[in-house]
Amino acid sequence: MLDRLQELHDEAMKKVAESEDLNDLKEVRIAYLGKKGPITEVMKGMGKLSAEERPKVGQKANEVRESVKSYIEEKEKAFEEAAMLEKLKKESIDVTLPGRPVPKGSRHPLTSVVETIEDVFIGMGFNVAEGPEVETDYYNFESLNLPKHHPARDMQDTFFITSDLLLRTQTSPVQTRTMEKHEGQGPVKIVCPGKVYRRDEDDATHSHQFMQIEGLVVDEGIRMSDLKGIFATFVKQYFGEERDIRLRPSFFPFTEPSAELDISCAMCGGKGCRTCKQTGWIEVLGAGMVHPNVLKMGGFDPDKYSGFAFGMGVERFAMLKYGIDDIRHFYTNDKRFLTQFTRV
Amino acid sequence: MLVSYKWLKEYVNLDDLTPAEVAEKLTRSGVEVDAVHSLSDGITNLVVGKVMKCEKHPQADKLNLCQVDVGESDPVQIVCGASNVGEGQFVAVARVGARLPGGMKIKRAKLRGEVSEGMICSLQELGFEGKVVPKKYSEGIFNFPQEMTAGEDAMAPLGLDDTVLELDLTPNRSDCLSMIGVAYEVAAILGREVNVPEPAIVASKEKASDYISVKVEASGDNPYYGANVIRGLQISESPLWLQTALMAAGVRPVNNVVDVTNYVLLEYGQPLHAFDLDRFGSEEVVVRRAADGEKIVTLDDIERTLSGDHLVITNGNDPVALAGVMGGATSEVETESVNILLEAAYFSPASVRKASRDLGLRSDSSVRFEKGVDPNSVAEAGARAASLIQQLSGGEILEGPVEFDELNKNEKEVRISLNKINSVLGTHMTAEEVSQIFDQLQFGIDEKDGEFSVTVPTRRQDISIEADLVEEAARLYGYDNIPVTLPNTPSTPGGLTAEQLKKRKARRFLEGAGMLEAVNYSLTTADKEAYFKEESKSRVKVALPMSEERSALRTTLIPHLLDDLSYNKNRNIYNVHLYEMGTVFHTEEETVTVQPDEKTFLAGALMGLWQEHSWQGEKKPADFFVLKGIVEGLLKELNITGEIRFVQSEKKGLHPGRTASLYIDGTEAGVLGQLHPAAAKEWSLPETYVFELDLSILMSFPAEAVRYEAIPRYPGMDRDIALVVDEDIKAEELEKVIVAHGGSLLSTVSVFDLYQGENLEAGKKSLAFSLRYQNREKTLTEEEITEVHTKVLQALEEKLGAKLRA
Ligand SMILES: [Zn+2]
């Protein structure tokens, strides 16, 4: 009987070894280890054996069962792993295909510049003020020390609606409006972004509509040196730590002394290049000490209060910052232009 | 203003400085120099030549063979194509090896078989602009109007050894519209002296008043009129120094009288005018306002019609000049003129400005009068011009001038304290430093204990108040020397208003939703808006538009967004989703008299696919519900309290079946829908969806405060129902009934399916809702849910005839 068991063992092991898939193994299992299998058959004849032989045969039968069973299991595991590998292999994808895009819009570069500048000034204690785009002659000109027939009105060619109403040529009228609201009480610290209009033919550097940001600080004891300090801070935050500033005398009817503010050229680091016309400096804004007439018209006593004001062109800042060469791009809304600023 | 450096050096010693250095100093102290041009412009090897012999080229009719003495033992032969070349002329010769502007190099050449050793130059070839070249030389070569030495360097005599500074003057610095004014400025910056020549007049015994009288009938506009009379002069070409000075300043030389008036205009900033006395038409000058409709033919041969606003010089009857703007043709100085009347006058800025504006005539003269000339230089400039004319044309100046004089020539006195200067600038200047600065500016100073009384010369009309003096002190002290400080005032909290924050939130939401922000022009045309608005008479229009396209202020943002879509589509960009936040302008008036109502609108336009994942074959075109989803999301983002309703509506320019009005608590706050196919066709657009919201209304609803609500501890249970109803029953109606009868146990309702078509009765549709029941206190039992749910179904059937779909 022992021999018969060994024979069955070898036969079963051979079948397991020859099996090609889980089905084959199942058949082998049923055939050899099932209740009707030959091993069970052999075991049934154990009653005829002697008392010494019986445990030996029983042990052998168990050994055979275990051996076949574990071989089957081992083989099963191998088949399962292979099947899994096969399955995974079939599921393989081309990871270089593009991903499913998540909707991503974009901020207009002019909005980006305005918000960034607002935030820098908010950090320095400023509020944001706004005003109407259709202004009266008084707020756009007269309250800014530009009486009728003043030659400096020629500096800005105006879209009039009536003899008294016009499209504002600058954001400066918000200065007077804000000062009036303060009723002669300082401090006033505001920036005013907005659209302005001038009768210019649209070309690469001119636009009949553009954006400005105006700023105004009025308080007791404000000095021109403070203007320099605020701007040094602003320029370093907006354009970068390494940028220097300088002031050049200039003229605006609503400030005196007036200044143009230059920043050192980023292209050449101040050595002089084409961008800065070899000067090492780039003009970025106009500023100055608020003219006493403007303070007076805003309801502030020029003997007690002083202040400074500044105005900058948003398009110019955007052009400098992103290297845009034609102002008309801002108003064309070409998708190929707008989507370049999704990273901003 | 073009400033000849050579000319400037006649008044200020600049021997130790280069033009570039002077330009930099000017710019840094407030008079901006835009450009510095060297007139030599790379020219080399240019000499004076004398044409000894000039004959026709044997092979070419239009060429001349010239034997030119260039200061060597033998003359050189030069082939010259100019028709005005002639024997005996002194000409400018570019020798072989010479360089001319633009990098041109002169080589020995053979022209039609004849050797040419050099080139006889025209002024244009030497870099002068055509518009400043005297007419006499404009079509040919230049020849020197005076005896020269053959072979001598031609650069200096032609003024090519000069450099020109191009000033970009701000409107306040009209004093620098004159060479003397610039000289004062340069001298002030450098702390140097100014030397202005004293006009030397040798007058005859005859009196000017024997020939002319002066009567001013509009003394407010013309407080000073001076008339010099010069007799017996001879008109000719001006000497070279005068011609080159004018050309460097951008003025074309004409003759020795006109050139002098232009020269003195540039020197003093005082416009002058010379009349031919013999053709003046009378012996009296009468200055008056023109009669309405009165006419004058100006020097440019154009007839101008005048009005009572315009000041004219007349001969008692007819206008002979438009005061301060341009002379008349009838009494123009010509080659034959022998006796002249030389006018030096002060015309008020307002009167000249008005005439110049009205007639569209700007001249070197009007520009200066408009800014206000120096009252103390008028007569002096007249004398200077008279003496130069006498020098150059040999006439006789009669004793004079004949004057009308009510001109205020007083100098202003302005007071300021040292403390004021330092406190405005943040500087620590001393009284000595400030005195020094005012002294350099040649202002009169009286200082005591830091209190200054400053007398300002009349050439500086821009200075009249304290702040003007602060600026003068600052710019000469140097803006670079002002310290850098921060305000030492109490700090203030900065920030955005609630409304400004909401606007930023709205932008962020739309960016996140995949919309591109657009910015368009506010000016538009009424025609474009007519697709969306009933044409109303009340519109805000620009008085003198630059074009019809930009003639009125927009009342809606949509048309320009459609323009943008069109623009993109024309460039084969088909999927575009834009939004814009901007101002629109409304008025109730037919003719605008007060500021229009300005509102911030928020609009969007969707064209093409909303979502696309091309290689997976997904394509989701933009449709009404994409649009509505954006608007709903935005309302949520803004956290608006109040009942939000979308009501089917008809709006001009939009699809009548696919348009909704947005109502918040019963107030219409915007519209959304499909662009009407007719409008889409007009813009050549495919199916397009637009929305436009009035942000000012959205902002008027307070945002709901966020409060935490406990998360339910017991799970909710879902019941899905498919209802068959009449087609015209709206989802909103069904939902209302469900909510009304779901009681406190119903927590949410949502639509999950819409079906129309097969297996349904005609005129019916099936709408499926998912209802979630929830009890916050305990687990719901099947019985409790069934009880409520049955009520809901009953109500749906009773009120709307809704049946459960089999
Ligand atoms: Zn540079």
Side-chain angles (χ1 to χ4, degrees), chain A residues 98 100 105 107-108 111 118 125 128 133-134 154 160 197 199 209 224-226 228 256 258 333 335, chain B residues 357 424 468 471 479 482 485 492 500 504 511 517 521-522 543-544 564 568 575 583 595 598 615 618:
Chain A
R100 185 188 176 83
R107 200 170 305 172
H108 196 283
T111 303
E118 280 176 356
V128 177
E133 292 173 37
V134 173
D154 295 351
F160 278 96
Y197 306 85
R199 297 179 69 90
Q209 173 183 319
M224 192 150 170
S225 55
D226 299 334
K228 271 183 132 178
E256 191 166 28
S258 299
N333 302 309
K335 185 175 180 178
Chain B
R357 280 283 151 124
V424 170
D468 300 329
E471 180 164 69
Y479 279 17
I482 296 172
T485 60
T492 46
Q500 289 162 349
R504 283 204 186 184
E511 281 162 26
E517 188 190 5
Y521 296 134
S522 302
L544 292 165
D564 298 339
N568 281 285
N575 306 323
T583 310
Q595 280 170 284
E598 292 188 21
W615 69 269
E618 285 174 68

Side-chain angles (χ1 to χ4, degrees), chain B residues 7 11 70 73 87 141 201 212 248 262 264 287 315 394 417-418 458 522 529 555 564 586 688 691 730 737:
Chain B
W7 189 350
Y11 313 111
V70 289
S73 48
E87 273 176 25
I141 52 139
I201 287 200
I212 201 84
N262 283 331
V264 174
V287 185
N315 57 14
S417 70
L418 177 65
T458 48
S522 302
E529 295 197 346
T555 62
D564 298 339
H586 291 98
T688 296
F691 73 84
K730 303 225 176 291
V737 172

Side-chain angles (χ1 to χ4, degrees), chain A residues 105-160:
Chain A
S106 63
R107 200 170 305 172
H108 196 283
L110 295 177
T111 303
S112 290
V113 169
V114 167
E115 290 189 1
T116 311
I117 292 176
E118 280 176 356
D119 289 344
V120 172
F121 280 99
I122 286 171
M124 292 192 278
F126 284 64
N127 290 305
V128 177
E130 289 154 307
E133 292 173 37
V134 173
E135 264 298 1
T136 59
D137 188 277
Y138 175 78
Y139 283 107
N140 194 72
F141 290 124
E142 280 183 53
S143 75
L144 296 166
N145 204 28
L146 271 158
K148 289 214 161 77
H149 308 303
H150 192 286
R153 281 197 181 199
D154 295 351
M155 286 166 96
Q156 307 171 355
D157 216 346
T158 310
F159 283 110
F160 278 96

Side-chain angles (χ1 to χ4, degrees), chain A residues 265 267-268 272-273 275-276 280:
Chain A
C265 175
M267 293 293 182
C268 61
C273 68
T275 304
C276 56

